[in-house]
Amino acid sequence: EAGVAQSPRYKIIEKRQSVAFWCNPISGHATLYWYQQILGQGPKLLIQFQNNGVVDDSQLPKDRFSAERLKGVDSTLKIQPAKLEDSAVYLCASSTLPHYEQYFGPGTRLTVT
Amino acid sequence: DAKTTQPNSMESNEEEPVHLPCNHSTISGTDYIHWYRQLPSQGPEYVIHGLTSNVNNRMASLAIAEDRKSSTLILHRATLRDAAVYYCILRDRDIGGSARQLTFGSGTQLTVLP
């Protein structure tokens, strides 16, 4: 079974630029999550989708971050404009149902200079 | 979600058992105890979870105190590949209308010495 795929694996941008990350969850997984992990900390949930609907986006900085999951499969997370403090690893995870174990992708390491 | 307390770091020798403690004194009756681990440069991976009874799987064992205020993740024979950050997380079993999130703390950095 293929795991959660993410791209790109690394991205370096200047502040005020925009960036987008892509996630392809495990086939059949209805629930998809985006996490932000700052160096030395545990992952922090940004947004949770159930199929193509948003379940929880309470910790998503909506003035600059946006996410979508069209057709309930792939998802994209966008940052526009980026700030220095957005430097982090962005992790995508999926699960069959919201309360089941989550499977994580390898993450995208973003550096904002 | 209730909070957990874990040591920042632990060391173990290769091929010896490792006991990773977690305190969760404010755990509620509906909280499951989950463990995830994160190997270097990878996303977290599920290890094990339990409610009241001790649990075993191919990766590890979970020992839960009788009062459920603490638990211990046991790796029976540590290998160099077990070096990772281990997270102990409480997760409410009540899914209700919206699922309970995974709230990660800082975890325990396990170093395995050859």
Side-chain angles (χ1 to χ4, degrees):
Chain A
E1 175 181 84
V4 176
Q6 291 189 247
S7 68
R9 290 296 311 276
Y10 305 92
K11 189 75 177 177
I12 300 174
I13 61 172
E14 295 182 351
K15 60 184 179 183
R16 290 187 290 274
Q17 286 187 323
S18 62
V19 65
F21 313 125
W22 174 82
C23 172
N24 181 238
I26 293 173
S27 178
H29 282 197
T31 312
L32 185 146
Y33 313 80
W34 283 102
Y35 290 83
Q36 178 193 59
Q37 185 171 25
I38 293 171
L39 187 64
Q41 300 180 17
K44 183 186 83 171
L45 180 71
L46 292 176
I47 189 167
Q48 176 187 345
F49 291 93
Q50 182 65 23
N51 296 307
N52 59 349
V54 175
V55 174
D56 185 346
D57 63 357
S58 58
Q59 298 191 86
L60 186 73
K62 299 181 186 63
D63 58 334
R64 297 183 301 106
F65 286 64
S66 64
E68 61 181 8
R69 190 183 185 197
L70 299 177
K71 300 180 181 179
V73 181
D74 294 5
S75 177
T76 56
L77 176 70
K78 297 179 182 177
I79 307 175
Q80 182 179 7
K83 293 185 175 181
L84 295 176
E85 58 260 37
D86 298 330
S87 293
V89 175
Y90 290 84
L91 295 159
C92 179
S94 69
S95 63
T96 51
L97 291 171
H99 55 292
Y100 283 22
E101 66 188 76
Q102 296 182 19
Y103 294 83
F104 286 78
T108 297
R109 181 175 298 278
L110 173 68
T111 302
V112 182
T113 62
Chain B
D1 290 324
K3 295 181 93 172
T4 63
T5 304
Q6 299 177 255
N8 289 332
S9 62
M10 291 185 64
E11 280 188 356
S12 172
N13 293 318
E14 195 177 11
E15 299 188 6
E16 290 186 358
V18 182
H19 289 67
L20 296 164
C22 181
N23 288 319
H24 28 78
S25 58
T26 59
I27 190 171
S28 75
T30 55
D31 283 332
Y32 275 93
I33 302 159
H34 287 248
W35 285 82
Y36 280 72
R37 73 178 185 180
Q38 188 170 21
L39 279 64
S41 301
Q42 295 187 27
E45 65 174 341
Y46 167 82
V47 177
I48 199 167
H49 77 279
L51 184 64
T52 55
S53 303
N54 294 344
V55 184
N56 300 295
N57 66 20
R58 63 176 180 81
M59 290 182 69
S61 295
L62 177 60
I64 301 172
E66 195 169 334
D67 64 5
R68 300 210 324 126
K69 293 186 177 181
S70 66
S71 60
T72 303
L73 180 70
I74 302 166
L75 306 179
H76 294 286
R77 202 162 157 266
T79 70
L80 297 178
R81 293 176 57 187
D82 290 321
V85 178
Y86 286 79
Y87 297 99
C88 171
I89 301 166
L90 299 183
R91 200 177 188 196
D92 199 314
R93 69 179 182 186
D94 179 14
I95 59 173
S98 62
R100 296 301 184 188
Q101 318 299 351
L102 282 178
T103 301
F104 289 84
S106 298
T108 297
Q109 174 68 63
L110 175 66
T111 300
V112 181
L113 304 173

